[in-house]
């Protein structure tokens, strides 16, 4: 151990770094071999720090150790002398997995022998600055200097980045002079927000995600290369023409939720951003739980979010092909028929099957008998001979279910599992990028194993982080429980975060897509709060939902001296009146919110009191109380007021909204369904999620009044009720009964 530490410190590592490296057996072994190779080339035990740093970087990044000697020699000979060249060398070796390696092609790809002079750097930077001079002078130090750096580096690929940056800084300073006070001011908040809200398309386009190019699957870390891989990739490219192909593969046994919105945006968005295609593929391999309403609802939600599938396919389209491949898998010795019971296969310490080594011919006969219905459910399964990343051994490929299938009826009584079906359907449909959430990372090795075991084209599986929201549950089983116990009405209850519920609540699809863009395409799991989604909704509705006036708790007001009835023009968008307007009647009888009147004046109260007048929004009048009329219980039932023109009256402290000749409507106000952030967490909610229901999550106001501008509204049309919040017309509205539900309260 001491000798190895001494060896590592001899190439420039600190003693602490050397000891840390020693804890990683694979890295320390690779680095030791690399140093020995370099010493052999140099003919000395001394390796200088420049070479040592590159050897360490190479050893920690090189995946294919059979290239270690080749790369170590090139570093020792100083052909590879910078981190930039090393990155190019690693990329070259990854994209050329087969022997022999062409030294000349390698040298060309890695810039071996190319020397960039200071004069070349100066000229390149001068050319770039000249190109952008007009914009630079206009924006000064707010200009994106990174753009200049990028263009200069493109012109001089092998130049030292630090030298280029210094030259850019010097020439920009020479052009603009020192920074002024104006240059040092912070950017407006809107600019920052626009940067944060870079579109999903920008996040997914081109090189942004560092995904492999179609046909270059083998460049991906962890991808398994077989002797036939390159031939299969060649055929794949001939079929696809190099086009990116993704798929969104939901199970049709429930309604999509907010987490699926990220998956939809990622799969369809990545294809769209890169001129590719995306399939909607139903993973319909469990006939017991599949219903037509789920097939329809899933497609509706994909299209509602703005995406059109290239094709709608089903795993069941390939049932015969999948069966034939299972027979082939048995023939190749990679699968067997097993009789262990389902309960024996649960957990991670499952005992090995006593039937694992049964003869191939015997498994073929038994699998055929399974297909013909000669076994009872649970009496036999087909299992694959492999160990998954989580240690689970021999996952099930086929099981028996005597349940008619939604599409194939009674044709089959054996059905493939997810672990068997998913990768094979991807292969059959020539998917290039199999995008899935992080929990499927444990199945990546089985994905590659099965394609390779059958000698089929193998796509690349890429994982991304799930999107989770607080104050909700999205599990199908738990939502069913909420419906069955009457806590919510159905899957589309606006208090849920299923996509159908969000649509019914009135959330615009573009707001949900913007939310996914704001969350970003992250590898780590994301848990965020509903108010961030609501902020995206508010951004969209502020520009698209016309204003209207509504009174939720009406108080009748009679204007005794109003000269005549009239129509008042109300702008749809007060901040931009050019976007249109509507008229509402203004008569002697109006209704205001009960909370906008107080019989006894209180400090800080700015609205209507017997001593304090108030303005009426858009009407051009100020009203003053003359008489208070009460009911038999002593509650204020009506006010009699007089009015005067707002042009002649003293400016009131406040203006309030009102309605006249209104429509009666039922208004539903929604709050969070659960009281705690994590209703499924026993440490937060010991008695289970059903004990955490917010008793005030739904308030129904049956006698609300709204102005006549909503009379012609259609289902899901949205409005901003002034001083109240955003509302949407509910699907169960009728000609005689208008139901309007709140999306969110006004924050203004």
């Amino acid at each position: 151990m001491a000798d190895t530490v001494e060896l590592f410190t001899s190439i420039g590592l600190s003693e602490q770094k050397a000891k840390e490296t020693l804890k990683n057996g694979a890295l320390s072994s690779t680095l030791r071999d690399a140093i020995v190779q370099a010493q052999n080339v140099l003919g000395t035990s001394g390796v200088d720090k420049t070479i040592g740093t590159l050897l360490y970087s190479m050893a920690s990044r090189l995946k294919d150790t059979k290239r270690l000697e080749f790369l170590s020699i090139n570093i020792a000979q100083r052909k590879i002398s910078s981190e930039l060249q090393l990155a190019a060398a690693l990329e070259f070796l990854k994209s050329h997995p087969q022997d022999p390696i062409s030294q000349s092609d390698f040298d060309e790809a890695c810039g071996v022998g190319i020397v960039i002079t200071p004069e070349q750097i100066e000229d390149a930077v001068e050319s770039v600055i000249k190109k952008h001079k007009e914009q630079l002078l206009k924006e000064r130090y707010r200009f994106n200097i990174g753009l200049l750096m990028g263009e200069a580096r493109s012109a001089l690929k092998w130049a030292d980045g630090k030298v280029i940056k210094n030259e850019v800084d010097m020439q920009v300073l020479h052009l603009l002079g020192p920074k002024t006070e104006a240059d040092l001011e912070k950017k407006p908040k809107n600019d920052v927000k626009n940067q944060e809200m870079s579109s999903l398309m920008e996040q997914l386009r081109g090189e942004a995600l560092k995904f492999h190019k179609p046909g270059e699957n083998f460049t991906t870390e962890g991808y398994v290369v077989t002797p036939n891989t390159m031939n299969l990739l060649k055929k794949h490219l001939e079929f696809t023409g190099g086009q990116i192909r993704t798929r969104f593969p939901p199970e049709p046994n429930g309604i999509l939720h907010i987490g699926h919105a990220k998956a939809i945006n990622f799969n369809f968005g990545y294809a769209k951003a890169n001129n590719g295609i995306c399939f909607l593929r139903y993973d319909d391999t469990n006939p017991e739980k599949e219903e037509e309403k789920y097939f329809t609802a899933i497609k509706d939600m994909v299209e509602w979010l703005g995406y059109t599938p290239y094709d709608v396919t089903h795993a069941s389209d390939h049932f015969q092909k999948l069966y034939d491949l299972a027979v082939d898998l048995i023939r190749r010795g990679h699968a067997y028929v097993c009789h262990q019971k389902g309960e024996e296969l649960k957990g991670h310490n499952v005992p090995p099957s006593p039937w694992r080594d049964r003869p191939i011919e015997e498994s073929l006969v038994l699998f055929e008998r399974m297909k013909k219905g000669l076994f009872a459910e649970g009496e036999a399964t087909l299992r694959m001979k492999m160990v998954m990343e989580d240690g689970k051994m021999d996952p099930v490929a086929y099981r028996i279910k005597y349940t008619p299938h939604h599409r194939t009826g009674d044709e089959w009584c054996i059905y493939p599992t997810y672990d068997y079906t998913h990768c094979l359907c991807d292969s059959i449909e020539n998917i290039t990028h199999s995008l899935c959430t992080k929990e499927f990372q444990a199945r990546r090795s089985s994905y590659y194993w099965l394609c390779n075991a059958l000698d089929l084209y193998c796509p690349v599986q890429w994982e991304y982080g799930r999107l989770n929201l607080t104050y909700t549950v999205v599990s199908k089983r738990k939502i069913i429980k909420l419906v069955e116990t009457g806590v919510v009405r159905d899957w589309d209850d606006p208090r849920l975060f299923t996509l159908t519920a969000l649509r019914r609540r009135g959330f615009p699809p573009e707001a949900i897509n913007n939310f996914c863009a704001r969350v970003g395409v992250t590898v780590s799991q994301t848990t965020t709060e509903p108010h961030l989604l609501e902020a995206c909704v508010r951004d969209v509705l502020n520009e698209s939902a016309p204003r209207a006036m509504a009174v939720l708790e009406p108080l009748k007001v009679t204007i005794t001296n109003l000269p005549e009835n009239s129509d008042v023009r109300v702008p749809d968008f007060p901040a931009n009146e050019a976007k249109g307007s509507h008229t509402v009647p203004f008569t002697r009888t109006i209704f205001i919110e009960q909370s906008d009147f107080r019989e006894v004046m209180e400090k800080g109260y700015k609205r209507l009191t017997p001593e304090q007048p108030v303005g009426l929004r858009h009407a051009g009048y100020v009203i003053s109380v003359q008489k208070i009329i009460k009911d038999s219980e002593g509650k204020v039932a009506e006010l009699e007021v007089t009015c005067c023109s707002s042009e002649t009256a003293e400016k009131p402290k406040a203006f309030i909204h009102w309605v006249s000749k209104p429509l009666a409507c039922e208004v539903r106000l929604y709050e969070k369904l659960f009281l705690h952030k994590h209703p499924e967490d026993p440490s937060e909610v010991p008695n289970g999620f059903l004990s955490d229901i917010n008793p005030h999550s739904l308030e129904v106001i049956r006698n609300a009044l709204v102005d006549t501008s909503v009379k012609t509204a259609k289902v899901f049309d949205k409005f901003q009720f002034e001083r109240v919040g955003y509302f949407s017309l509910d699907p169960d509205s009728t000609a005689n009964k208008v139901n309007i539900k709140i999306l969110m309260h006004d924050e203004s």
Side-chain angles (χ1 to χ4, degrees), residues 343-408:
E343 53 271 19
E344 295 179 66
L345 299 179
K346 290 180 180 177
H348 290 285
N349 296 315
V350 177
S353 170
W355 294 278
R356 195 175 199 267
D357 296 320
R358 77 187 327 159
I360 289 174
E361 290 303 320
E362 188 176 313
S363 282
L364 288 171
V365 170
L366 292 171
F367 190 48
E368 178 69 16
R369 292 182 66 193
M370 285 173 60
K371 178 177 180 288
K372 289 180 177 179
L374 300 179
F375 287 106
E377 285 193 17
E379 195 176 347
T381 59
L382 182 71
R383 295 175 66 184
M384 299 176 280
K385 291 183 180 180
M386 58 89 61
V387 180
M388 300 180 74
E389 288 183 34
D390 59 3
K392 188 175 180 182
M393 189 172 182
D394 295 358
V396 172
Y398 269 85
R399 73 278 202 216
I400 300 168
K401 287 183 180 291
Y402 291 107
T403 303
H405 188 272
H406 175 78
R407 298 182 71 240
T408 61

Side-chain angles (χ1 to χ4, degrees), residues 277-294:
I277 59 176
C278 183
F279 295 79
L280 169 59
R281 184 206 304 147
Y282 295 108
D283 184 17
D284 57 342
T285 58
N286 191 350
E288 294 172 325
K289 298 181 179 180
E290 293 156 6
E291 296 181 41
E292 174 62 30
K293 67 177 182 180
Y294 298 135

Side-chain angles (χ1 to χ4, degrees), residues 284-440:
D284 57 342
T285 58
N286 191 350
E288 294 172 325
K289 298 181 179 180
E290 293 156 6
E291 296 181 41
E292 174 62 30
K293 67 177 182 180
Y294 298 135
F295 285 86
T296 303
I298 288 170
K299 187 169 184 289
D300 285 349
M301 288 301 97
V302 169
E303 293 175 345
W304 178 62
L305 288 178
Y307 295 107
T308 301
Y310 170 75
D311 193 11
V312 177
T313 63
H314 305 74
S316 57
D317 296 338
H318 310 298
F319 273 177
Q320 184 61 52
K321 176 73 171 175
L322 293 170
Y323 174 79
D324 294 340
L325 288 171
V327 172
D328 189 24
L329 195 67
I330 298 170
R331 287 200 177 106
R332 291 170 179 259
H334 297 310
Y336 62 96
V337 172
C338 177
H339 303 288
Q340 283 178 293
K341 303 300 181 186
E343 53 271 19
E344 295 179 66
L345 299 179
K346 290 180 180 177
H348 290 285
N349 296 315
V350 177
S353 170
W355 294 278
R356 195 175 199 267
D357 296 320
R358 77 187 327 159
I360 289 174
E361 290 303 320
E362 188 176 313
S363 282
L364 288 171
V365 170
L366 292 171
F367 190 48
E368 178 69 16
R369 292 182 66 193
M370 285 173 60
K371 178 177 180 288
K372 289 180 177 179
L374 300 179
F375 287 106
E377 285 193 17
E379 195 176 347
T381 59
L382 182 71
R383 295 175 66 184
M384 299 176 280
K385 291 183 180 180
M386 58 89 61
V387 180
M388 300 180 74
E389 288 183 34
D390 59 3
K392 188 175 180 182
M393 189 172 182
D394 295 358
V396 172
Y398 269 85
R399 73 278 202 216
I400 300 168
K401 287 183 180 291
Y402 291 107
T403 303
H405 188 272
H406 175 78
R407 298 182 71 240
T408 61
D410 294 322
E411 183 180 351
W412 296 89
C413 65
I414 56 172
Y415 293 97
T417 61
Y418 175 89
D419 287 321
Y420 177 78
T421 306
H422 185 64
C423 62
L424 296 182
C425 284
D426 282 353
S427 178
I428 292 167
E429 293 177 356
N430 272 284
I431 300 302
T432 58
H433 298 74
S434 181
L435 309 175
C436 56
T437 47
K438 195 72 174 174
E439 65 264 31
F440 291 100

Side-chain angles (χ1 to χ4, degrees), residues 8 19-30:
F8 289 173
K19 288 179 178 178
E20 286 178 5
T21 302
L22 206 57
K23 294 177 183 178
N24 185 329
L27 174 57
S28 58
S29 174
T30 303

Side-chain angles (χ1 to χ4, degrees), residues 152-219:
R153 291 200 69 165
S154 295
L156 300 171
K157 182 177 179 180
W158 304 112
D160 188 317
K162 291 180 181 178
V163 177
I164 291 180
K165 185 180 186 305
N166 290 339
E167 185 65 29
V168 167
D169 290 344
M170 188 178 69
Q171 291 199 29
V172 168
L173 179 64
H174 180 73
L175 176 68
L176 303 179
K179 288 184 178 180
T180 64
E181 288 187 14
D183 293 326
L184 295 171
E185 287 180 8
K186 291 183 178 179
K187 289 186 177 182
K189 287 186 177 180
N190 285 343
D191 289 349
V192 175
K193 183 176 179 181
N194 288 337
Q195 290 173 12
E196 292 175 347
M197 283 295 293
S198 62
S199 77
L200 189 70
M201 293 300 106
E202 290 172 352
Q203 294 182 50
L204 296 175
R205 189 170 290 119
E207 299 295 322
L209 291 174
K210 306 300 180 186
F211 284 172
H212 71 282
K213 295 178 181 178
E216 296 184 6
N217 304 29
F218 54 85
T219 63

